[in-house]
């Protein structure tokens, strides 16, 4: 079958490769500089894709922004879950969330949460951006609720851990310091002990 490799996986089509190049460029520019300051010409130049092809893939900048956010959500949650899965089940997995946040905060290009940033820029005027931000936060909360349940902790802790994580993200972005993840982890440990 076309597109399948000898290992049974699929190889990306030419269109998928071009779309990935555009999304890679969009992610770097949108996350690094903000949604409103980056135009389609900058995406074209960074991706090496013609403006005509760019608009065939994404008929508007809003469509590109929404695609960027969907892909970022998938990648962010996959990376978090892979890290957490490496910890022992229960309490350690809850705390591993904050360990992963600390690693993310220490990355040289960390600029805070892309979804909070995007919502702050366009949430009031773009229903698609607002929906993507809400969907990301809802999925993160559900994941925390699963970890809390697996740790046999009270369900209310999921909301408290969400607030700790979100506060740590914002503080780390504003201060340019990864330590808020450690502080949030310490607070999460106290909450688990008290439960």
């Amino acid at each position: 079958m076309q597109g399948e490799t000898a290992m049974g996986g699929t190889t990306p089509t030419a269109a998928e490769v071009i779309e990935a190049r555009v999304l890679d460029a969009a992610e770097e520019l949108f996350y690094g500089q903000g949604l409103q300051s980056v135009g389609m010409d900058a995406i074209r130049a960074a991706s090496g894709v013609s403006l005509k092809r760019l608009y065939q893939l994404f008929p508007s900048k809003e469509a590109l922004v929404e695609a960027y956010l969907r892909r970022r959500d998938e990648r962010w949650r996959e990376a978090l879950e892979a890290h957490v899965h490496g910890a022992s089940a229960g309490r350690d997995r809850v705390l591993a969330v904050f360990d992963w946040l600390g690693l993310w905060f220490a990355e040289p290009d960390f600029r805070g949460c892309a979804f909070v940033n995007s919502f702050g820029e366009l949430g009031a005027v773009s229903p698609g951006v607002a929906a993507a931000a809400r969907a990301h936060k809802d999925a993160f909360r559900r994941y925390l609720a699963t970890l809390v349940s697996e740790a046999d902790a009270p369900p209310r802790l999921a909301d408290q851990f969400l607030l700790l994580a979100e506060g740590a993200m914002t503080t780390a972005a504003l201060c340019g310091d990864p330590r808020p993840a450690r502080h949030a982890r310490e607070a999460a440990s106290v909450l688990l002990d008290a439960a």
Side-chain angles (χ1 to χ4, degrees):
M1 177 179 256
Q2 181 181 359
E4 289 204 17
T5 66
M7 301 284 292
T10 59
T11 55
T13 64
E16 290 169 335
V17 169
I18 292 170
E19 182 175 328
R21 280 191 4 227
V22 170
L23 288 171
D24 288 344
E27 183 163 6
E28 183 176 335
L29 293 170
F30 288 154
Y31 184 69
Q33 299 175 24
L35 302 177
Q36 295 184 78
S37 67
V38 175
M40 293 298 265
D41 278 334
I43 302 291
R44 177 200 50 77
S47 67
V49 173
S50 73
L51 206 53
K52 180 179 178 182
R53 183 69 175 125
L54 180 58
Y55 278 110
Q56 287 172 341
L57 291 167
F58 303 101
S60 66
K61 182 178 173 183
E62 186 166 348
L64 177 57
V65 167
E66 290 173 21
Y68 146 70
L69 290 172
R70 280 191 304 274
R71 188 172 83 155
R72 184 150 181 113
D73 170 63
E74 280 180 30
R75 289 177 164 190
W76 190 91
R77 290 190 297 123
E78 285 172 4
L80 171 63
E81 291 173 21
H83 179 84
V84 169
H85 187 70
S88 300
R91 173 191 179 94
D92 288 347
R93 287 193 177 169
V94 172
L95 297 177
V97 169
F98 298 96
D99 295 335
W100 182 82
L101 290 175
L103 295 172
W104 177 39
F105 298 169
E107 291 177 2
D109 66 344
F110 176 72
R111 282 196 64 249
C113 175
F115 299 90
V116 170
N117 296 347
S118 297
F119 185 83
E121 281 194 74
L122 295 176
V125 296
S126 172
V129 167
R134 288 186 186 108
H136 174 75
K137 297 305 178 185
D138 288 344
F140 183 36
R141 193 235 172 257
R142 285 192 306 274
Y143 182 61
L144 290 171
T146 299
L147 295 176
V148 165
S149 176
E150 290 171 358
D152 293 323
R156 72 178 185 283
L157 289 184
D159 290 321
Q160 294 169 357
F161 294 151
L162 179 66
L163 290 175
L164 285 172
E166 294 297 325
M169 286 179 215
T170 301
T171 304
L174 291 174
C175 298
D177 186 340
R179 286 181 292 179
R182 183 170 25 94
H183 301 157
R185 186 189 197 281
E186 291 166 0
S189 183
V190 169
L191 288 170
L192 285 166
D193 289 344

